Amino acid sequence: MSNAGLRLALLGAAIRIALAPFFMHTWDITTILTATDQFLKGISPYQYVVQQARSLYETTGLPLPYYGFAYLPVVLYIYAPFYALYQLLTGGSTTPLVGGHSNIYTGLKLVYPQLYAALLSIKLPVILADTATIYLLHNRSPKAAKIYAFSPYVIVITSLWGNFDPLVGHLLLLSYLTFKNNKFVSGLLFGLSTMKFYTIVCLGAFLPRLINQPKQLMRFLAGFAIAHLPTLYYLATDTENLLYIVAFQGTRPINGVNIYYSMVAVRGLEQVLLLTRIISAIFVIAVILVSVSYARNRVELNEAITGLMLTYIVFAPVTNEQLLAALVPIGLISRNFSHKLTIFPLLYIAFNSTYHYFAIPIFFSSQELRTVWESFNALWGLMVKDYQLQLRYLFG
């Protein structure tokens, strides 16, 4: 065990832990807390999402999606022990966050100090993943480990935003590291990484190396299948609602940090949906072509994974700011990636979610601080409203 690597990993963890209780992306944290709480109570989070979508349709008359828990269920098994620990330590009688999917001025209710404990608890799995990633990277490249440990972008996604893309990136890195010696474990880890659907493009990196080795291919696929036992369970017991979530992810209209999003502002809903279908076809073709090219040229596995993830980021119809965090761990040990790319999602966040939005747990703790926050939020809106969309398009 490397003492230098361990010290760096612990320092990276300390930075993340120090920030975690005081910041959040209110909508996404609400999604995770709500789904995990429902899971622990034996309630299907997918059923809840479908009910909310139907309610939205009845209210608006439009087939608008409800942006709730839209991931594969394995992530619930990861979060559940940490949320259960929070409930045990706090008595479990008070919900720390209410109304996170409503207007923050009229519907949001935060309970202190329980909120701080909940935020730290729910972010711990990702912080632990970041800690392990730093250590693993240090064993291969101390420079890469330092970049990851102190990356403003990764810290923002892990500790300020509170999403789990860095955990996805850790699993993808582990899948690569174990691929040579244990195809079953590699397949299992890769299967777990698809808790967010986008890593599925990396099959184009793994399968060409297995296609002529039937036994190794079966081991890899067996591991992949075991990782998805929770998905098979929900598929059997909550078929309609889970399939709704899968269809939702597969048909989401153009959005996010990409080259297409500017089209949304100048097209109607029907045209956007048509453009999404066309762009989805272009995306699939791009992934296939890149996969075939890498296979023919015998590109190294880590380079192929990095390239395919970048292909997703460039060509997919929906690319959120936090997605790049899943690529950074393996990207840092690949030639096809520069960590300097992370400046673009950092800038996009400033004009989309905004950084003061993440500070709501601090500023909503008293009426005086909340007034300061609301004044700054109003001023920020006045300052950027005339060019906010243009800047987001530029960064995309």
Side-chain angles (χ1 to χ4, degrees):
M1 179 176 288
S2 166
N3 290 332
L6 183 59
R7 286 196 299 270
L8 182 63
L10 292 175
L11 179 57
I15 293 170
R16 288 156 173 79
I17 289 171
L19 295 170
F22 307 109
F23 299 90
M24 67 176 175
H25 188 289
T26 303
W27 186 284
D28 285 357
I29 289 293
T30 298
T31 296
I32 295 169
L33 289 174
T34 301
T36 308
D37 186 65
Q38 291 167 341
F39 174 73
L40 288 171
K41 292 176 179 176
I43 302 169
S44 169
Y46 302 117
Q47 183 180 6
Y48 173 78
V49 169
V50 171
Q51 289 172 347
Q52 293 299 311
R54 288 172 178 164
S55 176
L56 194 60
Y57 177 74
E58 291 170 0
T59 302
T60 65
L62 298 172
L64 300 174
Y66 175 74
Y67 291 91
F69 185 80
Y71 315 109
L72 293 181
V74 66
V75 69
L76 295 171
Y77 291 83
I78 295 172
Y79 275 120
F82 294 89
Y83 189 66
L85 177 63
Y86 155 76
Q87 290 182 316
L88 179 66
L89 294 175
T90 60
S93 58
T94 304
T95 302
L97 172 60
V98 178
H101 285 179
S102 59
N103 187 294
I104 62 172
Y105 296 104
T106 58
L108 182 62
K109 179 184 177 183
L110 306 179
V111 180
Y112 297 92
Q114 288 90 335
L115 177 66
Y116 299 138
L119 290 175
L120 178 58
S121 299
I122 211 68
K123 293 175 184 178
L124 270 180
V126 188
I127 292 172
L128 290 172
D130 270 1
T131 305
T133 296
I134 294 166
Y135 183 77
L136 290 171
L137 288 175
H138 192 274
N139 291 340
R140 286 148 188 84
S141 169
K143 180 181 178 181
K146 289 176 183 177
I147 291 171
Y148 192 85
F150 304 121
S151 167
Y153 172 68
V154 177
I155 292 171
V156 164
I157 301 304
T158 296
S159 292
L160 271 65
W161 193 304
N163 218 313
F164 55 94
D165 297 78
L167 172 58
V168 173
H170 176 67
L171 292 167
L172 201 57
L173 175 65
L174 284 176
S175 180
Y176 158 70
L177 293 175
T178 57
F179 182 79
K180 182 177 180 180
N181 296 320
N182 196 321
K183 301 299 189 291
F184 173 81
V185 172
S186 180
L188 175 68
L189 293 163
F190 175 63
L192 292 174
S193 81
T194 59
M195 64 178 75
K196 281 202 171 184
F197 294 81
Y198 51 69
T199 62
I200 199 69
V201 299
C202 299
L203 276 175
F206 289 107
L207 292 184
R209 290 164 171 77
L210 298 167
I211 203 71
N212 294 321
Q213 304 177 59
K215 290 183 179 180
Q216 300 294 351
L217 175 61
M218 292 305 297
R219 290 190 180 100
F220 184 86
L221 293 178
F224 184 89
I226 287 177
H228 284 286
L229 287 177
T231 304
L232 295 175
Y233 170 78
Y234 276 92
L235 190 60
T237 61
D238 197 20
T239 309
E240 181 181 352
N241 294 321
L242 178 60
L243 291 178
Y244 171 87
I245 295 301
V246 174
F248 161 76
Q249 289 287 18
T251 59
R252 288 176 64 183
I254 300 163
N255 196 9
V257 196
N258 57 41
I259 57 178
Y260 314 117
Y261 187 45
S262 59
M263 299 178 186
V264 176
V266 294
R267 296 288 185 267
L269 180 60
E270 290 185 5
Q271 291 174 309
V272 169
L273 292 175
L274 175 60
L275 284 168
T276 300
R277 288 194 289 271
I278 295 170
I279 289 165
S280 296
I282 294 171
F283 162 63
V284 171
I285 293 169
V287 170
I288 292 171
L289 290 176
V290 171
S291 299
V292 171
S293 173
Y294 285 167
R296 286 180 175 176
N297 291 290
R298 300 183 182 277
V299 173
E300 294 292 330
L301 179 59
N302 61 318
E303 304 287 347
I305 292 172
T306 301
L308 283 165
M309 287 292 288
L310 285 170
T311 301
Y312 186 102
I313 289 170
V314 172
F315 289 102
V318 179
T319 311
N320 294 320
E321 302 97 302
Q322 66 269 27
L323 190 156
L324 194 63
L327 171 57
V328 175
I330 197 163
L332 287 172
I333 55 173
S334 303
R335 293 173 299 171
N336 294 334
F337 178 80
S338 169
H339 69 277
K340 295 176 183 178
L341 285 172
T342 60
I343 189 64
F344 294 106
L346 276 174
L347 291 171
Y348 189 91
I349 289 169
F351 295 94
N352 186 32
S353 297
T354 71
Y355 287 101
H356 61 276
Y357 173 78
F358 296 134
I360 281 177
I362 297 173
F363 284 92
F364 280 36
S365 60
S366 72
Q367 187 56 52
E368 293 79 10
L369 287 174
R370 182 166 181 161
T371 300
V372 172
W373 185 92
E374 290 173 355
S375 298
F376 179 81
N377 187 51
L379 178 62
W380 178 260
L382 290 172
M383 290 171 58
V384 306
K385 68 176 183 179
D386 292 333
Y387 56 85
Q388 180 179 3
L389 286 176
Q390 291 89 334
L391 284 171
R392 283 162 54 186
Y393 300 154
L394 174 63
F395 300 140

